[in-house]
Amino acid sequence: MAQMIMKAENELNAEGVKQMALINLSGAIVLIESFGWTKEKIKELFDKEEELLKECSKDHNLSLISMFDNECDIELTNREGVSYKDFGYLNIEKEKWEYTAPQWLQMRQNQKQWLGAMFTAAIGLTLHRMEGWNDEDIAKLVQKMQKVKENCSYDMKKMSEYAKEKVNFDAKELKMAA
């Protein structure tokens, strides 16, 4: 069981790196293209986002997706349209969750489908805290980010090329290249 859990953790971490890069690069593209942001302002956003992720990682009873909903009034779903509220580990408030080894394994395997939503919540919540963005502004950003990801077929290389060509943004500058 320990090896299976370790494998699930490694897969989750690898998918997390991929999803964070896709989400952040699509966000950078949209912020430059549609909102006139500079590379410096985007770097500041990602620095603040990193602080938020550290805040959440210190307490396993914090759910970034739940925090985003509570502060920004935006309920995120996975690609199948299922709400995070249907999953205990994404909807933790004050209650502590104790898992058996098989439950931990299942939870980690299920979390992969929520990584995109989690990193979307990270950008949205960071913009809310840093710039005072409201739910409508964040929703517009998220919709535009989704179009960029779809137009680039969720491919980091294509998205990096798009960023260079369309908005003169090099993903490697912010260590986002895959």
Side-chain angles (χ1 to χ4, degrees):
M1 181 58 68
Q3 287 179 332
M4 292 171 65
I5 291 173
M6 181 65 77
K7 181 181 179 202
E9 294 282 347
N10 290 338
E11 289 173 357
L12 183 65
N13 289 336
E15 185 65 20
V17 169
K18 176 184 170 188
Q19 288 299 319
M20 186 173 188
L22 284 169
I23 299 298
N24 282 354
L25 185 53
S26 67
I29 290 168
V30 172
L31 288 167
I32 292 169
E33 205 169 45
S34 298
F35 296 91
W37 278 40
T38 63
K39 293 175 191 175
E40 292 76 23
K41 187 130 179 164
I42 289 170
K43 172 138 179 34
E44 181 185 350
L45 170 72
F46 293 150
D47 288 345
K48 297 282 187 192
E49 178 189 39
E50 189 174 326
E51 290 173 19
L52 175 66
L53 292 170
K54 285 179 184 176
E55 173 189 336
C56 286
S57 70
K58 289 180 183 176
D59 184 350
H60 291 293
N61 288 316
L62 285 178
S63 162
L64 187 55
I65 296 171
S66 178
M67 288 171 58
F68 179 62
D69 186 9
N70 291 338
E71 289 187 41
C72 301
D73 199 29
I74 298 175
E75 182 179 333
L76 294 175
T77 61
N78 65 12
R79 287 188 182 177
E80 288 79 40
V82 178
S83 171
Y84 78 93
K85 292 179 180 179
D86 294 333
F87 294 90
Y89 59 87
L90 296 171
N91 194 24
I92 298 168
E93 290 299 330
K94 296 177 183 166
E95 186 174 347
K96 283 235 182 225
W97 289 82
E98 298 293 330
Y99 291 102
T100 64
Q103 288 171 324
W104 186 265
L105 175 63
Q106 181 182 14
M107 185 250 320
R108 288 313 219 184
Q109 290 168 335
N110 288 337
Q111 277 184 313
K112 281 195 283 188
Q113 69 178 313
W114 289 95
L115 290 170
M118 184 182 84
F119 291 117
T120 299
I123 282 187
L125 188 53
T126 303
L127 285 167
H128 174 71
R129 289 179 175 183
M130 182 176 135
E131 297 286 318
W133 281 35
N134 61 34
D135 59 339
E136 290 176 17
D137 296 332
I138 295 168
K140 287 177 190 173
L141 174 76
V142 170
Q143 289 170 349
K144 290 179 180 199
M145 287 169 55
Q146 184 62 33
K147 287 187 187 218
V148 168
K149 290 183 291 184
E150 289 171 359
N151 290 340
C152 295
S153 305
Y154 294 87
D155 181 272
M156 191 63 183
K157 185 176 178 182
K158 288 180 184 177
M159 201 178 302
S160 293
E161 291 168 0
Y162 179 92
K164 268 187 174 176
E165 291 173 18
K166 299 292 184 182
V167 296
N168 193 29
F169 183 80
D170 186 351
K172 291 178 185 174
E173 290 180 46
L174 297 178
K175 301 174 187 164
M176 296 167 63

